[in-house]
């Protein structure tokens, strides 16, 4: 992805979840999502960082013909990192604001995105009905011409039960 990253944004508003001690900011670097046992809720297991967003970005945009690793499915695409999750997950409001911002919509308190996305990949999902905030954000993104793609059906489960995929 070297040389292909556009300026992104960190939408994780809770500094504890973000692990970076400063909430929302223009540095979308991923601090990891590892946690100690019982950190997310009583009885939750300890986990190592998944680096899932970086992994997915590589699958999408890894440069080809360089003799290194894999070739992404869109190896000429530029990637804009937009961070919405951290340890123990994230907030619906942060995710909704990030969708709007990524598509070029205005979010109060955040500088406007000068590189609106044509495709927004959301490799996230949780078992729930589509939150109204997600649907509103996706509707705004689509009105701005962005294609919103979301994960669903992982683990051989019913895809229609997962938001944001069931918002489409």
């Amino acid at each position: 992805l070297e040389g292909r990253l556009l300026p992104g944004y960190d939408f994780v508003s809770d500094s504890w979840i973000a692990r970076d001690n400063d909430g929302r900011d223009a540095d979308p670097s991923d601090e990891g999502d590892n946690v100690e046992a019982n950190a997310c809720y009583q009885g939750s297991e300890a986990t190592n960082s998944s680096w899932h967003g970086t992994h997915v970005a590589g699958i999408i945009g890894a440069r080809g013909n360089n003799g290194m690793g894999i070739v992404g499915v869109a190896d000429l695409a530029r990637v804009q990192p937009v961070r919405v999750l951290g340890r123990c997950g994230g907030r619906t409001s942060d995710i909704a604001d990030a969708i709007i911002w990524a598509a070029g919509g205005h979010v109060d308190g955040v500088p406007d995105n000068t590189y609106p996305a044509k495709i927004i990949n959301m490799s996230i999902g949780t078992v729930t009905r589509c939150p109204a905030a997600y649907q509103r954000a996706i509707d705004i993104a689509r009105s701005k011409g962005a294609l919103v793609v979301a994960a669903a059906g992982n683990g051989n489960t019913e895809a229609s039960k997962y938001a944001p995929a069931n918002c489409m």
Side-chain angles (χ1 to χ4, degrees):
L1 297 174
E2 186 176 326
R4 309 249 304 295
L5 292 178
L6 294 170
Y9 209 82
D10 176 0
F11 276 87
V12 183
S13 59
D14 182 301
S15 62
W16 185 85
I17 293 171
R19 304 180 68 108
D20 61 6
N21 299 316
D22 62 4
R24 289 185 175 182
D25 61 43
D27 180 3
S29 300
D30 190 351
E31 305 296 326
D33 57 358
N34 62 300
V35 292
E36 301 294 326
N38 300 311
C40 299
Y41 55 88
Q42 188 61 36
S44 65
E45 296 182 19
T47 61
N48 293 323
S49 288
S50 65
W51 309 114
H52 183 75
T54 303
H55 179 88
V56 172
I59 290 170
I60 293 168
R63 181 176 295 149
N65 296 321
N66 63 3
M68 298 173 56
I70 66 168
V71 176
V73 296
D75 73 321
L76 299 178
R78 296 188 299 168
V79 175
Q80 183 173 60
V82 181
R83 185 171 184 234
V84 297
L85 300 176
R87 69 175 138 198
C88 302
R91 294 182 172 167
T92 298
S93 57
D94 292 344
I95 294 167
D97 283 352
I99 295 167
I100 293 166
W101 181 86
H106 178 74
V107 175
D108 288 342
V110 177
D112 289 341
N113 180 0
T114 56
Y115 299 95
K118 295 178 183 172
I119 301 171
I120 299 171
N121 174 60
M122 300 181 62
S123 185
I124 62 173
T126 188
V127 178
T128 188
R129 287 186 172 151
C130 175
Y134 282 6
Q135 190 63 62
R136 178 182 168 275
I138 290 168
D139 290 346
I140 290 169
R142 291 174 63 187
S143 76
K144 295 193 164 296
L147 171 66
V148 180
V149 180
N154 295 346
N156 197 28
T157 57
E158 180 62 42
S160 65
K161 295 179 181 179
Y162 285 83
N166 60 8
C167 299
M168 308 301 166

